[in-house]
Amino acid sequence: MIRTLAVTHTGEVLTDIPLQDIRREDYAWIWADFATPTVDETLLLDHYFHFHPLAIEDCMHVLQRPKLDHYEEVQFFVLHALNEETLDAEEIDLFLSANYLVSYHHQEKTEMNEAWEQVKREIHSRKGWSGGPMAAAYTVMDKLVDKYFPCLYSLEDELADLESSGGSESVEDLMSQVFGLRGRLLKMRRTIVPMRDLMYRIVNSQHVQSNGEERIYFGDIYDHLLKLSDMIEADREMTADLRDSYISLNSNRMNSIMKTLTVITTVFMPLTLIAGIYGMNFVVMPELEWKYGYFGVLLFMLVVGVGMFRWFRRSGWFK
């Protein structure tokens, strides 16, 4: 599907004009959005806009790393949106020129719909700088980055719940949740950090057609990405601390179990020795003919066991 937004030289906004019917010289600027395009619609990137073959190839072969390429008077952006359920990156490509913006994406994205409606609504009041392809591109990037925050806040809520319920679940379950959370944070990091680097290039590039006022807005997006990056790093450090705490807790529990088993084994070692001696089938064993030999051996074994237990306890083995 291709939807179009065209702004005439008199400021009139027209939408849903067939792309083949648009003569670019008749309009101040246009925005063509390729959403889940067919093969024939994708061919228009070459036949109608005459974009560079390498840029078109990047559109076809997802998933590219966020980047900025310069082709004569066209800037080509590869951006990443986040799937809110899986946290997988989904590619959105932008072709930016002085009088048009072309967006290309293989999935329907609410961020693109929101940006589309906002551009139509604020076409003549772009927060202090005139609307145009650059303003539309900024709106798309801003919407994409804004969607990162709810995803990260959801992970932080999960992390807070994990910290508060740390004593009510087994260490194995807690460790599984921690590693799962770290994996999702890593997914977000793989999206946000390249986007942050891309935005830094946009803010500092001399090739991007923008003035100082526009760079302030792109700098605001860069600040948001810096904040997101710091939040992810802080959350990853917290999960690392939780992981180390659970490992230490598990080790302490294991040490306690091993200490208990060691005490029990040590107490029963002399008792086993005594039982083994009197279990031998020798003929000459004077104690076997003693009337109270059986009770005497049991009493001796009891004294040895209780004595060793008290000695271990006094030595601090049970602390």
Side-chain angles (χ1 to χ4, degrees), residues 2-4 15-23 27 30 32 44 48:
I2 301 176
R3 55 181 174 178
T4 58
T15 59
D16 299 327
I17 306 173
L19 188 60
Q20 296 85 340
D21 297 339
I22 295 179
R23 297 176 65 243
Y27 299 93
I30 64 171
L44 292 175
Y48 181 83

Side-chain angles (χ1 to χ4, degrees), residues 121-187:
R121 186 173 59 252
E122 300 180 354
I123 200 74
H124 300 299
S125 58
R126 188 59 246 163
K127 299 179 181 178
W129 49 294
S130 59
M134 182 64 70
Y138 160 78
T139 304
V140 170
M141 297 178 190
D142 188 47
K143 292 297 181 182
L144 293 181
V145 173
D146 284 347
K147 287 293 183 179
Y148 295 168
F149 282 97
C151 297
L152 186 54
Y153 289 152
S154 176
L155 293 182
E156 289 194 329
D157 291 340
E158 185 177 344
L159 179 58
D161 293 339
L162 191 59
E163 287 182 299
S164 61
S165 64
S168 60
E169 301 180 46
S170 66
V171 174
E172 290 77 11
D173 291 339
L174 293 172
M175 289 290 289
S176 177
Q177 293 180 46
V178 167
F179 281 109
L181 186 57
R182 283 180 63 85
R184 291 192 292 276
L185 285 170
L186 180 60
K187 272 188 176 182

Side-chain angles (χ1 to χ4, degrees), residues 195-233:
M195 283 290 289
R196 179 197 66 190
D197 297 340
L198 169 63
M199 198 56 57
Y200 179 82
R201 283 197 63 193
I202 293 174
V203 172
N204 294 278
S205 175
Q206 300 299 321
H207 295 278
V208 178
Q209 300 170 356
S210 62
N211 54 43
E213 183 70 15
E214 294 168 349
R215 291 181 188 275
I216 293 176
Y217 288 99
F218 285 103
D220 182 65
I221 299 178
Y222 177 66
D223 290 341
H224 290 168
L225 289 168
L226 283 178
K227 180 180 179 181
L228 287 164
S229 300
D230 292 341
M231 291 171 63
I232 286 179
E233 294 305 321

